[in-house]
Amino acid sequence: MDAAFDVSLVPPGLRRLDFDALAAEHGTPLFVYDEDALRSKMREYVAAFGPDAVTYAGKAFLCTAMVQLVGEEGLHLDVATGGELHVALRAGFPAARIVFHGNNKGDAELLAALRAGVGRIVADSHDELDRLERLGADVGVVPRVLVRVTPGVEAHTHEFIETGTEASKFGFTVSGGVARDAVQRVAASAGLDLVGLHCHIGSQIYVLDSYARAVEVLVTLVRELADRGVTVGELNLGGGLGARYLAEDPVLDVAEYAQVLQGAVREVSAGAGIAEPRIMVEPGRSIVAPAALTLYRVGTIKQIPGIGTYVAVDGGMSDNPRPVLYGAGYEAYLPARLDAPRDLECTIVGKHCEQGDIVVQGARLPADVAVGDLLATPATGAYGYSMASNYNKVPRPAVVFVRGGVARTVIRRETLDDLLRLDQP
Ligand code: LLP
């Protein structure tokens, strides 16, 4: 007999919901976020790093209501494209508190950012620095620039989401003096304002020491620059703190993460004899992943003799491509039978026309799971909706925020007609 589902994977505000009523009103699949969990994680970050030191990475999950929460909790907002910038600005987010990322920002995207008065642009290449000088002059502003640096450290995570190594497509390498030259160029340019350095070593990181090693490389660079008369005031250390997806995954403490980063910056700066730069961080996943679950309905159960059992739900890789992209694991449970032992080992699959369309590999469910049951996968708040697609013309799910037991729709479900709205017959 297998142990019951570990309910600590579900945020408190979602544990006692009437999921039948929720599904009846909003349909399935459905993304359900605990608004208090979102807010309390943002508060933990602000408490640990201080006001104005935390930037929410919008790529993890972005919509108007989320932008508003980020604003209300006093965080800055990281956008990675003109599209994310548009959503942020349309939601009324103050441009001065936006950090604009991207390894290949186009003229139109940069112009939109400069015209809006975006507070920080993270420059990723010499081409971009050329563009920023030219477009800044056209608009009549001096862009505030951070130079993105690849420190050459490994983050011990999936290779697709590891970005701090020298082979990364992002940023300027520290080795060979490439980053140093880029920073000197910005500092020397009358058309650019040097705000600081940026580095993001990767995502879903459990080994905090990886950050300490990145800090060492960065602060050494700050020292080198100081020797050449360039002062770096701000170090943005990116995001990446890992989230707990499976019962056996560690719970990473934001305060401890802050101590590692702050301690490393303090120690290495003192050793290098330079003034401590101020730190910013850019968490996405660790704020939103644990705050949500996805609610599905079981549609078919298929037992293949001698092979195993497929439990098929009404979504799949179109609402969560992470299993197929990164081999990511999730837990699953039946909200109506939360405490039941989970005797059945099965594969939870979606409804798409691909064998790789897996929701949970090696899932455990109560053996009496039946067609029509509601099934939930916790910890789906990051990079699920934001990477959702219409593959097989499946409409994207609705998203609700729950507070005090009450759900409000923040993104409506797509209709079949939405699937045709771009077609030009
Ligand atoms: N800052 C920068 C510059 C980033 O590129 C990212 C994530 C973050 C901050 C936020 O990292 P987080 O705290 O969320 O780990 N689709 C992948 C994750 C891609 C991460 C991209 N960059 C996944 O589902 O695992």
Side-chain angles (χ1 to χ4, degrees), residues 57 59 78 101 148 161 198 200 203-204 239-241 282-285 322 326 383 387:
K59 68 207 80 181
D78 148 3
H101 273 285
R148 179 152 177 179
I161 52 176
H198 181 283
H200 171 74
S203 195
Q204 184 57 6
L241 190 67
E282 254 166 19
R285 183 193 313 269
R322 300 194 67 256
Y326 319 112
Y383 304 107
M387 294 202 296

Side-chain angles (χ1 to χ4, degrees), residues 129 132-134 136-137 141-145 186 188-193:
L129 290 173
L132 280 169
E133 281 175 325
R134 174 168 53 80
V141 298
V142 178
R144 289 169 41 79
V145 171
V186 175
S189 168
L192 300 172
D193 180 8

